[in-house]
Amino acid sequence: MSNADDVLRLWVLQEEQVVTYRRLSRELKVHVNIAKQVMLDFYEANKSSCHATFLVTGTKKPSVDFNCGGSELTELFMKLVPVTELASAQQGLDNAASHIYSIEHHATNGKHVLAMANISAGPIRDMAEFSAVGSSVTRVSVSSVS
């Protein structure tokens, strides 16, 4: 499976799997931003046959006024939303941004489905070369303290 369109057509339309950008990046051995663009292109071309979930981020003032010595606080907002709620999720946010997170044959019934799709992509440490976040840490050991 070398063609991204063929991979997505098989996984999403035929096998009805949930495909995250992380999983596609790993399968195609491409940077995560390339996988996101491939997924968005596929979704745009196949809107009538599949569903998309987007990650929306931004900042907003908290609803509760905290006294922090005169400092103004902002709240970081991150939410996974179906494409049908994308515009409303971005309303009221400062610096709103979004990107495609997953493509699925049908709308997902819960975030656990998306989490399981990411788990199936494998350990994050195995994807360092395709990640958008750089790190010199490749392996972390945790030992118990007696």
Side-chain angles (χ1 to χ4, degrees):
M1 282 190 264
S2 59
N3 185 338
D5 200 54
D6 292 341
V7 170
L8 289 170
R9 193 170 306 286
L10 173 66
W11 284 352
V12 176
L13 303 180
Q14 293 176 15
E15 296 178 356
E16 298 187 9
Q17 295 182 37
V18 174
V19 180
T20 64
Y21 70 88
R22 183 173 167 248
R23 182 175 178 204
L24 186 63
S25 169
R26 185 174 189 146
E27 175 68 23
L28 301 177
K29 295 179 177 34
V30 297
H31 192 275
V32 291
N33 289 338
I34 293 171
K36 291 174 196 176
Q37 187 59 54
V38 167
M39 287 176 64
L40 187 59
D41 293 345
F42 181 85
Y43 172 70
E44 292 293 333
N46 295 280
K47 281 184 181 178
S48 62
S49 304
C50 61
H51 180 268
T53 299
F54 285 78
L55 176 65
V56 176
T57 61
T59 57
K60 61 182 178 179
K61 291 186 179 180
S63 55
V64 177
D65 187 20
F66 294 102
N67 184 1
C68 290
S71 297
E72 187 174 307
L73 292 177
T74 57
E75 183 178 348
L76 177 61
F77 178 87
M78 296 177 71
K79 187 174 183 180
L80 292 170
V81 297
V83 67
T84 55
E85 297 175 20
L86 183 58
S88 63
Q90 292 176 323
Q91 287 180 344
L93 294 178
D94 295 323
N95 306 315
S98 64
H99 69 76
I100 194 161
Y101 184 84
S102 67
I103 299 177
E104 44 280 338
H105 190 64
H106 306 287
T108 58
N109 291 330
K111 305 302 186 251
H112 66 282
V113 175
L114 298 173
M116 292 306 295
N118 253 345
I119 290 170
S120 71
I124 292 174
R125 71 175 171 266
D126 295 343
M127 294 186 54
E129 66 183 289
F130 307 123
S131 177
V133 179
S135 174
S136 60
V137 176
T138 57
R139 188 170 184 97
V140 176
S141 297
V142 178
S143 59
S144 60
V145 177
S146 303

